[in-house]
Amino acid sequence: MTSYSRSVSIVFASILLTDMESPLTRNLTLSFCSLNLAGSKGAPCHYEFKPHLSEYWKIPPHHDAEFVTCMEDVLDVYQRPYDRAYPVICMDESPKQFIGEVRQSLPAKSGSIEKVDNEYVRLGVAELFLAVEPLTGKMVAEVENKRAKKDWAQFIRDLVDVHYPTAKKVILVMDNLNTHKLSSLYEAFDPEEVHRLREKLKLHYTLKHGSWLNIAEIGSPMHSL
């Protein structure tokens, strides 16, 4: 480190101790990183300050009784031992966009990675329905053309009748999307069929603004497709 960067380090420390939230502090942090790089002949900056980056995050509310109630309910469900007759299933859905290339990509070769043009065409969207059984690792996925109550209802019936036909009751954990309601079953089936399905289901909802507690959402690679 040069004498110049050391002097900047001292000034930076004094300002940081004075006002952590000052814009000057943030700007000086970035400046110091640049000076440190220049003064140490390209050595990595020790202050990994990246003001150009941000991250979307599910920030929970503070002191919210309803939030805690839903959270503890779902955590209690996750604590249950495995029972084939009462499988715990986490369900989620996500829209996916299909895109196509305008120009043919350049294949990878020795010393060079594949080159893909940044221009693309949209080829429509689809809805991915996903169910995960955490204690066995079983995953069920279906793709529909849209997100509607009838599509969710059909996926739930497939879970009950096709994938878990011997279960006495399917314990279903999911977020509170407006289509994720037992009333959606009435949009797709007659009342007798809905009653049969309701007898086979027990719903537990993740907390509002807390869908990160849904294992189908946080633990599946399909959401990164």
Side-chain angles (χ1 to χ4, degrees):
M1 181 182 291
T2 65
S3 58
Y4 183 72
S5 59
R6 281 198 298 270
S7 64
V8 174
S9 175
I10 295 171
V11 174
F12 166 72
S14 64
I15 295 178
L16 183 62
L17 291 173
T18 302
D19 186 0
M20 288 290 290
E21 298 300 324
S22 168
L24 176 61
T25 303
R26 294 192 290 271
N27 293 336
L28 191 55
T29 306
L30 182 60
S31 299
F32 174 61
C33 285
S34 300
L35 289 170
N36 190 27
L37 281 170
S40 56
K41 299 181 179 180
C45 178
H46 297 293
Y47 296 92
E48 297 180 359
F49 187 73
K50 301 175 182 178
H52 61 292
L53 298 180
S54 62
E55 184 177 30
Y56 287 104
W57 198 255
K58 293 287 188 179
I59 303 175
H62 293 285
H63 306 295
D64 189 304
E66 183 178 358
F67 185 92
V68 174
T69 300
C70 291
M71 180 181 67
E72 291 187 342
D73 175 62
V74 172
L75 291 177
D76 286 343
V77 171
Y78 288 162
Q79 291 288 330
R80 297 177 184 178
Y82 176 69
D83 188 340
R84 183 186 297 271
Y86 297 89
V88 174
I89 311 299
C90 299
M91 178 267 161
D92 194 30
E93 61 178 282
S94 176
K96 299 299 176 182
Q97 179 179 220
F98 298 108
I99 60 174
E101 295 182 8
V102 176
R103 298 174 181 84
Q104 185 174 358
S105 60
L106 302 178
K109 59 183 179 180
S110 179
S112 177
I113 63 174
E114 181 185 16
K115 304 296 191 301
V116 180
D117 194 86
N118 64 347
E119 187 177 356
Y120 62 89
V121 291
R122 292 184 173 90
L123 301 177
V125 295
E127 191 75 7
L128 172 65
F129 290 87
L130 178 67
V132 177
E133 187 177 3
L135 295 181
T136 65
K138 179 178 179 178
M139 299 176 64
V140 176
E142 292 184 7
V143 178
E144 300 291 345
N145 292 326
K146 60 185 182 303
R147 180 184 77 83
K149 294 179 179 180
K150 291 183 178 180
D151 299 299
W152 178 84
Q154 185 60 58
F155 180 69
I156 296 303
R157 183 163 74 169
D158 287 347
L159 274 181
V160 170
D161 292 345
V162 178
H163 301 288
Y164 295 93
T166 62
K168 293 182 179 179
K169 194 176 288 285
V170 173
I171 313 302
L172 197 60
V173 177
M174 56 187 174
D175 61 28
N176 43 40
L177 196 64
N178 63 331
T179 56
H180 295 176
K181 309 292 182 184
L182 290 176
S183 58
S184 295
L185 299 175
Y186 288 94
E187 300 284 339
F189 313 119
D190 59 58
E192 291 76 13
E193 177 68 355
V194 173
H195 184 268
R196 182 185 71 84
L197 293 171
R198 289 180 59 185
E199 291 296 307
K200 300 273 286 184
L201 293 168
K202 173 61 177 177
L203 307 187
H204 294 266
Y205 289 102
T206 57
L207 36 156
K208 292 182 179 179
H209 216 66
S211 57
W212 43 264
L213 204 56
N214 186 350
I215 293 177
E217 177 174 326
I218 65 175
S220 170
M222 289 191 177
H223 279 289
S224 62
L225 295 176

